[in-house]
DNA sequence: GACGATGTAGAGGGTTCGTTCTACATGGGC
DNA sequence: GCCCATGTAGAACGAACCCTCTACATCGTC
């Protein structure tokens, strides 16, 4: 991926995260990307491609920010994981999971659905590995999804509930 | 609420649930509502009002289908609750929670956000009451959100995980 | 210094969309 | 029998949107 492509994807991700997938026009996306319309369309030939590129970019950033370098101790890793998710929500995604939002905005797109599935799959397996919960990927993912969805309304209380549930998985 | 208004709202809810909030045009919504464009706009003067009416309708139906008449035994109520949510997903909402989808499609709308909050609030308090988990509304809501989000990918495994987590709340 | 590759700036086309408006049908109450 | 309220059918309008295209700037290379 070239440098300019990376910068465009980063700008698009910001715009979609802030305003959702329905609202921003391509003109708005161009401003967010910081390039001309011609260049934008050169690298992402349609609005759908812009959505996909933004989500790919977000996927990489999410893995880095939430799942890299968790504590070695498994209980500490579980708590840190929930804190990291909350921190991600606070700074990046105050409206919930961007991948679910994308699929909701275009339920017909199989490309988006595949991307959502890949994202959740990779998050679940890496999270289970880091917390010593291999074999309980689904329960752990359920907690992460629940935290992501309920954080906007319940904040730190949701984090505490998620930690408690993750601990109970043993 | 008049009879025709009820029928319109029911049709709109179906259309939004099936195709999301971004895709369907007002012409499509009119077909789903089964009335003329003039009548549709008489009762719901803008597309945003159509979304709100559809969600109000869904809120009432969700409470009826998922939370009415749960078993008296608390452990049985917890399991039945998760089964009911899964059944709701299977028959009504294969793409996740419609309220979250609405907010995601229009993050700027405070009316939608308020409606989401009211919906979740009422679901949480009624669910906690029925399952003997008063005081743990947030943890229970987190499980319900997690189940709703992960059911499309993991189906009955997600239900089993949700039951396990709800049982652990004790 | 010419040139080709790559960028910006932004106007324009063709389409779709939300909303309004006109014209007409129907049916119960005086 | 007339009328008004309420419904259908769908044309029309203005705005917004996605995408293309033209015209021009910049910069590293020969």
């Amino acid at each position: 991926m070239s440098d300019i492509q990376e910068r465009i994807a980063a700008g698009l991700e910001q715009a979609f995260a802030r305003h959702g997938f329905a609202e921003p026009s391509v003109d708005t996306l161009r401003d967010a990307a910081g390039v001309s319309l011609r260049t934008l369309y050169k690298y992402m030939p349609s609005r759908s491609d812009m959505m996909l590129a933004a989500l790919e970019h977000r996927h990489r950033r999410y893995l880095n920010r939430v799942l890299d370098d968790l504590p070695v101790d498994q209980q500490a890793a579980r708590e840190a994981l929930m804190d990291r998710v909350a921190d991600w929500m606070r700074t990046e995604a105050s409206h919930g999971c961007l991948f679910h939002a994308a699929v909701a905005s275009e339920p017909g797109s199989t490309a988006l659905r595949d991307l959502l599935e890949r994202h959740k799959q990779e998050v679940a397996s890496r999270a289970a590995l880091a917390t010593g919960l291999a074999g309980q990927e689904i329960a752990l993912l359920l907690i992460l999804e629940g935290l992501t969805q309920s954080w906007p309304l319940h904040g730190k209380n949701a984090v505490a509930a998620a930690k408690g549930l993750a601990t109970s998985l043993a």
Side-chain angles (χ1 to χ4, degrees), chain A residues 70-83 130-131 163:
Chain A
L70 284 169
V72 176
D73 176 74
Q74 295 183 343
Q75 178 56 28
R78 286 170 205 169
E79 301 196 6
L81 176 59
M82 303 307 162
D83 285 328
T131 56
K163 286 182 182 174

Side-chain angles (χ1 to χ4, degrees), chain A residues 39-92:
Chain A
T39 303
L40 179 55
Y41 270 96
K42 173 179 177 185
Y43 291 101
M44 287 145 207
S46 77
R47 194 178 190 279
S48 302
D49 294 315
M50 299 174 203
M51 292 175 56
L52 290 172
L55 290 170
E56 294 275 7
H57 192 263
R58 194 175 190 78
H59 175 58
R60 289 190 299 275
R61 288 210 309 124
Y62 188 87
L63 293 182
N64 289 349
R65 279 270 308 269
V66 173
L67 291 163
D68 274 358
D69 302 317
L70 284 169
V72 176
D73 176 74
Q74 295 183 343
Q75 178 56 28
R78 286 170 205 169
E79 301 196 6
L81 176 59
M82 303 307 162
D83 285 328
R84 296 255 197 109
V85 169
D87 210 57
W88 172 269
M89 299 299 298
R90 190 173 52 75
T91 59
E92 303 276 353

Side-chain angles (χ1 to χ4, degrees), chain A residues 1-165:
Chain A
M1 166 124 40
S2 73
D3 181 50
I4 187 169
Q5 208 161 351
E6 168 86 10
R7 279 188 296 118
I8 292 173
L12 293 177
E13 189 207 323
Q14 292 282 334
F16 286 127
R18 202 181 311 270
H19 302 111
F21 289 95
E23 272 184 12
S25 71
V26 173
D27 280 359
T28 304
L29 297 175
R30 175 208 46 181
D31 290 346
V35 297
S36 73
L37 212 49
R38 184 193 177 96
T39 303
L40 179 55
Y41 270 96
K42 173 179 177 185
Y43 291 101
M44 287 145 207
S46 77
R47 194 178 190 279
S48 302
D49 294 315
M50 299 174 203
M51 292 175 56
L52 290 172
L55 290 170
E56 294 275 7
H57 192 263
R58 194 175 190 78
H59 175 58
R60 289 190 299 275
R61 288 210 309 124
Y62 188 87
L63 293 182
N64 289 349
R65 279 270 308 269
V66 173
L67 291 163
D68 274 358
D69 302 317
L70 284 169
V72 176
D73 176 74
Q74 295 183 343
Q75 178 56 28
R78 286 170 205 169
E79 301 196 6
L81 176 59
M82 303 307 162
D83 285 328
R84 296 255 197 109
V85 169
D87 210 57
W88 172 269
M89 299 299 298
R90 190 173 52 75
T91 59
E92 303 276 353
S94 47
H95 320 321
C97 172
L98 201 63
F99 294 83
H100 280 297
V103 170
S105 86
E106 256 183 57
S109 162
T110 59
L112 286 180
R113 220 181 288 254
D114 291 350
L115 192 52
L116 167 69
E117 189 167 341
R118 266 206 296 126
H119 171 66
K120 296 300 180 186
Q121 177 63 46
E122 193 158 349
V123 168
S125 66
R126 286 199 48 184
L129 205 64
T131 56
L133 292 169
Q136 304 207 67
E137 282 90 356
I138 293 177
L140 181 56
L141 182 63
L142 192 149
I143 296 171
L144 291 173
E145 295 274 24
L147 173 57
T148 301
Q149 292 292 95
S150 56
W151 184 88
L153 288 182
H154 297 107
K156 68 173 63 170
N157 290 330
V159 177
K163 286 182 182 174
L165 289 168

